[in-house]
């Protein structure tokens, strides 16, 4: 019986020392001409190292910006610039066209290990500039 109790407490102790949290969020928003989605997948792992609690994290994100009108409205587009900003970082993209774009969608993605994480209640700021026009809007977590 003592062995069972000892084993039980050992399992509880090991479980308490190693905890993994998954942070998977989808943020969406739109303006008059654009809509965007920011998908965030992060993993936090709490571990005991050398008698101290330590956290390690890893994340991946994907930002997708889509023009809401028909593709033919972008036929004279020469340049698009977009940026997005979270509390933990920012990203941007620029594309110049010598021919009409073949898609209404522009995207970027990335990831990190050990960096700051995106929180579920964040508001992500987006700015789009295409030719001489500009719009800004916010993305909000769809599960809030």
């Amino acid at each position: 019986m003592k062995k069972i109790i000892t084993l039980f407490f050992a399992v509880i102790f090991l479980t308490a020392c190693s905890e993994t949290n998954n942070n998977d969020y989808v943020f969406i928003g739109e303006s008059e001409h654009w809509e965007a989605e920011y998908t965030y997948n992060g993993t936090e792992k709490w571990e005991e190292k050398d008698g101290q609690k330590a956290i390690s994290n890893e994340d991946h994100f994907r930002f997708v910006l889509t023009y809401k009108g028909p593709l033919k409205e972008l036929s004279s587009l020469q340049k698009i610039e977009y940026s997005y900003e979270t509390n933990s970082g920012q990203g941007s993209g620029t594309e110049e066209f010598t021919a009409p774009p073949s898609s209404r969608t522009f995207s970027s993605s990335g990831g990190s290990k050990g960096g700051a994480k995106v929180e579920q209640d964040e508001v992500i700021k987006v700015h789009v500039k295409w030719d001489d026009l500009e719009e800004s809007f916010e993305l909000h977590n769809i599960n809030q």
Side-chain angles (χ1 to χ4, degrees):
M1 183 69 168
K2 281 186 176 183
K3 288 183 181 181
I4 292 174
I5 292 173
T6 303
L7 179 62
F8 176 74
F9 283 112
V11 169
I12 289 176
F13 177 75
L14 290 174
T15 302
C17 292
S18 178
E19 181 183 328
T20 301
N21 295 321
N22 292 318
N23 302 306
D24 299 326
Y25 311 127
V26 177
F27 298 84
I28 60 170
E30 65 182 300
S31 63
E32 182 180 347
H33 295 95
W34 298 93
E35 59 189 12
E37 179 176 294
Y38 184 93
T39 306
Y40 177 83
N41 305 104
T43 303
E44 291 178 308
K45 188 170 186 179
W46 289 90
E47 300 176 300
E48 181 115 2
K49 289 186 181 180
D50 301 325
Q52 305 251 342
K53 265 198 152 185
I55 186 170
S56 63
N57 62 341
E58 184 175 331
D59 62 19
H60 302 279
F61 70 87
R62 179 162 173 81
F63 176 79
V64 179
L65 178 69
T66 303
Y67 184 69
K68 291 167 62 175
L71 181 60
K72 67 180 180 180
E73 289 182 6
L74 297 178
S75 63
S76 64
L77 183 65
Q78 294 183 2
K79 183 177 182 180
I80 183 170
E81 298 174 75
Y82 62 86
S83 63
Y84 51 91
E85 183 177 343
T86 70
N87 289 339
S88 61
Q90 58 189 7
S92 63
T94 301
E95 199 166 334
E96 295 189 41
F97 302 95
T98 56
S102 59
S103 175
R104 298 179 308 124
T105 302
F106 307 90
S107 65
S108 63
S109 61
S112 68
K113 286 186 178 185
K117 70 175 190 167
V118 172
E119 299 292 338
Q120 70 180 11
D121 60 349
E122 281 195 43
V123 175
I124 299 174
K125 297 177 178 99
V126 177
H127 185 78
V128 185
K129 182 177 181 183
W130 69 110
D131 291 335
D132 294 331
L133 303 169
E134 290 185 61
E135 287 182 357
S136 295
F137 57 102
E138 297 177 342
L139 307 182
H140 297 272
N141 189 336
I142 61 173
N143 293 318
Q144 286 287 324

